[in-house]
Amino acid sequence: MPNQQPNQAAEVLIQALPYIKQYSGKTIVIKYGGNAMIDESLKAAVMQDIILMRYVGINAVLVHGGGPEISDAMQRMGKEPAFVGGLRVTDAETMEIVEMVLTGKTNKNIVAHLNKQGGQAVGLSGKDGNLIVAERETTKGDIGFVGRVVKINPELLHTLSGAGYIPVISSVAIGTEGESYNVNADTVAGELAAALSASKLIVMTDVEGIYQDFADKDSLISQMTAKDARQLITDGVVDKGMIPKIESCVVAINGGVEAAHIIDGRVPHALLIEVFTDQGIGTMVRG
């Protein structure tokens, strides 16, 4: 059928229309990470998705980490990365490397990609406008300048989004004495989503979603409550890498966000599928 492809395209647009109406003028916080930050074709797809969201009136806020890049930089400088309970041990020298990589390199690369695709992106760290205020994380002993978020000051983000910009935020926070802290990017995304009263938090990762049993690929959980998500952590069902992602979803939901999603960033245009189609992908967490 010669008109089959145009008809399919029209159906996709029609399906997207109610979601465009629902989320236009609303905020969606996206935690960008995993293979979608490394693979060039996936990276381009993510940038296109975010710009399309901005063009239809969605206030997209992008949060990123950069663990592999930090570890590479540390090793080039003769420092061996060390972790305690999934958190990077961050002495003063390591904190300088973290800030240099996340804020000076990774953040600006993302901004450049968004702007190249036609967006208006602005790179920030938690130190800009006291956006993310943290104190030293002490529950796992002395692991240096690892931060725990104590306050989000979102006014700067409201100003930027209101002017049509896409904020791109690295997970470096500021302390009360002006010191820098290394904060888990998943944690930052959940806290920001709550502070911004976002409609959605979307966490991109390298798995299809949350499994009841990771060895059983048929046990993908498509929807769950924040209480059920917490129980998975308590019961040891999820591994260390997924724990901060689930915790960020719980923080967002408890902070008033309507829905949080853990999606597979290896799927091209995963963001558009999640936001603008009936089926969505991954695991959705609700209140």
Side-chain angles (χ1 to χ4, degrees), residues 59-70:
N59 298 321
V61 176
L62 193 64
V63 179
H64 70 88
E69 294 94 335
I70 294 168

Side-chain angles (χ1 to χ4, degrees), residues 66-117:
E69 294 94 335
I70 294 168
S71 293
D72 287 347
M74 288 180 67
Q75 288 168 338
R76 286 199 304 271
M77 296 180 187
K79 290 184 70 70
E80 194 61 35
F83 296 86
V84 173
L87 298 176
R88 185 185 302 274
V89 177
T90 309
D91 59 16
E93 187 180 10
T94 300
M95 188 63 238
E96 288 186 8
I97 296 170
V98 168
E99 192 161 8
M100 176 182 69
V101 172
L102 289 189
T103 304
K105 182 183 177 186
T106 307
N107 184 273
K108 302 312 175 189
N109 282 346
I110 296 169
V111 167
H113 273 90
L114 283 167
N115 290 343
K116 181 182 177 183
Q117 296 276 5

